[in-house]
Amino acid sequence: METAPPPSRAAILLPWDKEAARTGNQTRSAEARLAEAVGLAASIGLVIVHEQIFQLRSLTPATLLGKGQVEIAGAALSEAGVDVVVVDASLTPVQQRNLETAWKCKVIDRTGLILDIFGARARTREGALQVELAHLEYQRSRLVRSWTHLERQRGGFGFLGGPGETQIEADRRLIGDRIVRLKAELEEVRRTRGLHRGARKKVPYPIVALVGYTNAGKSTLFNALTGATVMAENQLFATLDPTMRGLLLPSGRNIILSDTVGFISELPTELVAAFRATLEEVAEADLLLHVRDVSHPDTEAQAKDVRNVLGRLAKDGALDEDWPARTLEVLNKADALGGVENVVQGDGVAVSALTGEGLPRLLAEIDERLASRLEVVDVQIPVADGAKIAWAYRHGEVLHREDDERFVHLTLRLSAVDKARFEAL
């Protein structure tokens, strides 16, 4: 019987440019950033045997780290028997190759690690397509002089390359062809999502989307509100594929709640582009619930990272510019601070998705936010028109009712779409 190979022994190295962090309004400490990287690596089964922070005085083009730091790290890695090194920064292909040569083990950067995690988490065909696209976009940039075992021979005018260059070009072409096919398949996914959204608009129920930093408790909150059983683990990026469920608000209004992928600081550009289809659910939402782990020491920095990603989506045209006006902050994990009364709430709502504390107030706030986008109209319906009366109750919020012998007089809260539909009945 075959036995599973032992888990890879990993080292996490954080190059930390203190000055760049300060001038970039970075509110995280180096220790917090290292701890997050350790959590990311551990979430895919790597055994962390060494972790270290290197203060950068200047960036070395060939290796990012200084020559002495590379030697110090190499000795520590050799002693710890490390199989893979995660450098929690963005490495150029040349830097990655040079570090692998110096340390004699596999080296990946922050983007590569997050891509590996996403690859392990994808459950649906759409998720797998998006992850593969992101991987290939990233890998295409790694083909710079990666075929060091093949000799390159120059031609007379530079048009003819040796076998090494031929192999690189062949791989680049294969990757390019696959990227084209993946984008076509994802376009089909996007088109299908558009049809589904169109069908929902005909119902239509307001869409409320959960967004937030990874591991903020979005899926736990989703399950607590809807009674669903979406995977909710205490690990980074437990959820990749969007999930939707119906939810009845206290007013009797039906909504659709959407759980989406978590964000993270320095989210790779490849992932933002690849997950465009998923993030379109955020763009279409009537209300965004920004779920925060209020018990985390870096909760403010995490919130800023989420806002930055949403701002980037707005700048790219994938999200409307007024998204802050339709965002409600949900301060989750209040139980870790002793309860909602111990949370400074401001304009947000403190909850514990784990214990259920604060959820009634959250539902009421969602109700109120959505109601503020509705129109209040007075209508009269013939008493005999039971179907129209039932439609009004099903699609609107009845604020007042008064009956006489001929008509039912209703004061309703309706969306602009439903008002037009009612008038057409």
Side-chain angles (χ1 to χ4, degrees):
M1 189 173 103
E2 291 187 10
T3 58
S8 296
R9 296 166 62 84
I12 313 298
L13 304 184
L14 172 64
W16 188 252
D17 188 336
K18 193 173 182 179
E19 183 62 22
R22 185 184 66 79
T23 56
N25 298 318
Q26 171 69 271
T27 56
R28 277 184 183 81
S29 65
E31 290 72 19
R33 175 65 180 257
L34 180 64
E36 180 179 88
V38 169
L40 284 169
S43 71
I44 53 172
L46 294 177
V47 177
I48 315 303
V49 295
H50 179 71
E51 51 190 81
Q52 193 168 359
I53 299 170
F54 287 101
Q55 299 286 347
L56 298 182
R57 286 185 289 275
S58 62
L59 302 182
T60 304
T63 54
L64 183 63
L65 300 172
K67 182 180 178 182
Q69 292 174 329
V70 171
E71 292 174 355
I72 292 170
L77 299 175
S78 178
E79 184 179 345
V82 168
D83 302 309
V84 58
V85 178
V86 178
V87 179
D88 190 27
S90 181
L91 295 176
T92 67
V94 171
Q95 288 170 345
Q96 182 178 358
R97 184 198 64 185
N98 289 341
L99 290 175
E100 286 183 340
T101 301
W103 294 335
K104 297 180 175 56
C105 63
K106 183 176 177 59
V107 175
I108 61 173
D109 64 2
R110 182 178 179 83
T111 300
L113 175 63
I114 294 174
L115 286 171
D116 279 348
I117 294 170
F118 272 47
R121 298 279 186 273
R123 293 290 178 267
T124 66
R125 175 176 171 272
E126 177 190 346
L129 286 174
Q130 292 176 134
V131 169
E132 186 182 355
L133 175 60
H135 259 291
L136 291 175
E137 293 278 14
Y138 174 74
Q139 191 61 34
R140 184 161 58 176
S141 70
R142 306 282 110 178
L143 291 178
V144 179
R145 299 188 183 184
S146 57
W147 294 84
T148 54
H149 60 291
L150 297 173
E151 179 186 1
R152 179 179 175 182
Q153 300 170 354
R154 293 184 181 277
F157 294 94
F159 298 121
L160 299 175
E165 187 168 350
T166 302
Q167 184 65 63
I168 290 173
E169 291 306 317
D171 280 4
R172 188 172 286 130
R173 185 169 58 253
L174 288 171
I175 288 177
D177 291 345
R178 180 61 180 155
I179 285 174
V180 170
R181 289 196 297 273
L182 284 172
K183 285 184 175 178
E185 291 185 61
L186 279 171
E187 192 57 43
E188 182 64 23
V189 169
R190 191 172 291 123
R191 191 186 69 81
T192 303
R193 279 192 177 280
L195 293 174
H196 290 168
R197 279 193 295 271
R200 289 199 298 270
K201 285 179 180 177
K202 290 177 183 177
V203 175
Y205 293 144
I207 297 174
V208 177
L210 302 176
V211 298
Y213 207 80
T214 183
N215 208 29
K218 295 183 301 301
S219 295
T220 304
L221 179 62
F222 182 86
N223 291 342
L225 291 174
T226 65
T229 55
V230 171
M231 179 183 176
E233 299 287 344
N234 183 27
Q235 63 182 20
L236 302 167
F237 295 119
T239 304
L240 275 193
D241 303 300
T243 307
M244 295 191 169
R245 294 288 187 277
L247 177 62
L248 188 66
L249 295 178
S251 65
R253 184 184 299 111
N254 286 292
I255 67 169
I256 295 173
L257 193 64
S258 174
D259 185 21
T260 61
V261 64
F263 298 158
I264 197 168
S265 64
E266 299 181 30
L267 188 67
T269 303
E270 294 91 347
L271 282 180
V272 174
F275 278 76
R276 185 76 171 264
T278 302
L279 295 172
E280 281 177 359
E281 297 297 344
V282 175
E284 293 288 332
D286 298 273
L287 181 65
L288 300 177
L289 299 186
H290 177 187
V291 183
R292 293 175 51 183
D293 177 359
V294 73
S295 69
H296 198 286
D298 283 328
T299 182
E300 292 298 334
Q302 291 181 350
K304 182 179 177 182
D305 287 328
V306 171
R307 296 187 197 108
N308 286 342
V309 173
L310 293 173
R312 197 195 321 173
L313 290 172
K315 189 176 180 181
D316 293 342
L319 188 63
D320 55 298
E321 294 287 348
D322 74 337
W323 65 266
R326 54 187 178 91
T327 300
L328 171 63
E329 288 204 337
V330 181
L331 309 175
N332 192 27
K333 304 192 182 182
D335 55 288
L337 299 177
V340 297
E341 66 277 1
N342 295 323
V343 178
V344 179
Q345 301 187 40
D347 294 330
V349 178
V351 303
S352 168
L354 204 59
T355 67
E357 187 183 12
L359 295 188
R361 189 191 159 206
L362 174 60
L363 290 171
E365 185 67 26
I366 294 171
D367 229 345
E368 187 177 328
R369 290 286 188 105
L370 292 175
S372 67
R373 301 167 61 92
L374 303 178
E375 297 182 43
V376 177
V377 295
D378 293 311
V379 300
Q380 61 177 22
I381 308 171
V383 172
D385 195 346
K388 197 168 185 178
I389 295 171
W391 191 97
Y393 271 88
R394 195 164 58 248
H395 293 272
E397 181 183 352
V398 178
L399 303 176
H400 179 72
R401 172 172 175 161
E402 188 174 321
D403 297 9
D404 58 33
E405 291 182 359
R406 296 177 56 202
F407 295 99
V408 174
H409 303 272
L410 298 176
T411 301
L412 293 172
R413 233 188 222 127
L414 287 171
S415 68
V417 174
D418 273 339
K419 180 185 175 185
R421 291 179 67 201
F422 181 81
E423 291 170 348
L425 290 175

